[in-house]
Amino acid sequence: MKMHNKLEPLKISCKTADCENNLHCFLISKKHKEELFPQGTCNYCGVRLVDWGRVQLNRIHDVEFTIESLQKEWIRHHFWHEQLPQRAINFALRKGKKDLLLSIDKRIEIALKPMHPFRDGIQTPFSSDNPIHYAQHATATCCRHCLNYWHGIPENRELTLNETEYIGQLLYKYIEKKIPNLSTDKQKIPPIRNK
């Protein structure tokens, strides 16, 4: 019987960068002072690659530019290029577009819309059976802090209707790209059994 070595899981963090491979970290943290690298530059190498003024206009008709910009950050790039687990794909297929859009709206309402959402900063798991969580990390809509530094949406107030609609459309764009065969209505998908 052939034994397979188990691969060590990839350590995912919002503070990771790989500047040599053009994957950066733009998150301002206490450790990376703004005086050293101003907001909008990589915390490790100082490069400025994102047109923040354009991204923070939050225009859905300019979403491809936003998506391209998001992928310059290591954490976002990871989620745009990671293959979704089959359970997350099945979750979306079981819901169909109509119910998935309702789930996106509900997620925004609970996890992002309030001025101080419950467990803000850790409310979106990195690994899940829900494709919305992957979409949130990919689009920097996982917490109010990421919404602020990527999309320019202030943390000290409730989200507006326009902002919630923009976030919803951005999340759906991710799911549309990752699951292009998603039908409008629910599909009957058998569960994946644990062995």
Side-chain angles (χ1 to χ4, degrees), residues 180-195:
N181 60 335
L182 186 60
S183 67
T184 303
D185 297 312
K186 301 175 184 185
Q187 293 181 36
K188 192 169 176 90
I189 305 290
I192 296 172
R193 304 275 183 220
N194 291 333
K195 292 183 181 184

Side-chain angles (χ1 to χ4, degrees), residues 14 27 76 140-152:
C14 295
L27 176 67
R76 314 296 163 208
T141 60
C142 43
C143 67
R144 292 301 300 265
H145 189 68
C146 289
L147 273 175
N148 179 273
Y149 91 85
W150 264 102
H151 304 285

